[in-house]
Amino acid sequence: MPYINVKTNVKKSDELREKIVDIILENTTNILNKKPEVTSVLVEFVPFDTWNINKDNLSTFNVDIKITKGTNTKNQKAQYIKETYLNLKEILGDITPASYIIIDEIEGDSWGFEGLTQEYRYIKG
């Protein structure tokens, strides 16, 4: 049940937003084995001139994904970061290497959906 926030400073378009969502859902489902029906993706386009790398305005992105701790291996997470970076670079164009993907692992008793924690779902599962 990941929650994923993608921010980028490239020019906003509905077509690009859809491509970003497709990439995120595909990688999250196929690499991290998460269920797409409970995967939440927020794509935000911020003004180019508001995002600096050092003192320069460069095209970039940030992906912040929250997953339940202990549900993925180091290899899966490394593959997710690699593939997601390459896939987003392909559609976003000339982006800076200082474009980040962060996997936040949250304890199962600290989050959930539909009013139930992930830990509760595991115990009752």
Side-chain angles (χ1 to χ4, degrees):
M1 70 149 236
Y3 167 74
I4 306 157
N5 180 257
V6 181
K7 291 183 182 179
T8 184
N9 66 348
V10 300
K11 186 175 180 185
K12 180 180 180 177
S13 78
D14 288 338
E15 179 183 349
L16 186 55
R17 187 193 61 77
E18 288 176 18
K19 286 180 181 180
I20 292 170
V21 170
D22 287 345
I23 287 168
I24 296 298
L25 284 175
E26 182 175 327
N27 289 351
T28 304
T29 301
N30 295 332
I31 298 171
L32 298 180
N33 300 314
K34 304 303 182 191
K35 296 177 183 176
E37 62 271 16
V38 290
T39 298
S40 179
V41 182
L42 172 64
V43 178
E44 297 179 285
F45 291 88
V46 300
F48 180 78
D49 63 351
T50 64
W51 199 326
N52 287 39
I53 307 298
N54 194 4
K55 293 186 178 195
D56 299 318
N57 292 113
L58 303 169
S59 296
T60 190
F61 68 82
N62 179 71
V63 176
D64 186 4
I65 175 172
K66 296 181 184 336
I67 62 173
T68 304
K69 186 174 183 178
T71 59
N72 291 100
T73 67
K74 285 183 180 186
N75 288 341
Q76 287 172 317
K77 292 180 282 186
Q79 182 183 358
Y80 184 83
I81 289 169
K82 179 181 179 181
E83 294 295 324
T84 302
Y85 177 84
L86 292 173
N87 295 152
L88 289 176
K89 183 177 178 181
E90 186 175 314
I91 66 164
L92 297 178
D94 186 28
I95 58 164
T96 178
S99 298
Y100 295 98
I101 300 166
I102 302 143
I103 300 175
D104 292 319
E105 293 188 281
I106 312 297
E107 294 287 345
D109 64 351
S110 296
W111 79 319
F113 64 96
E114 199 178 4
L116 302 173
T117 68
Q118 289 301 85
E119 182 176 43
Y120 179 85
R121 290 176 193 285
Y122 176 78
I123 292 169
K124 293 298 181 184

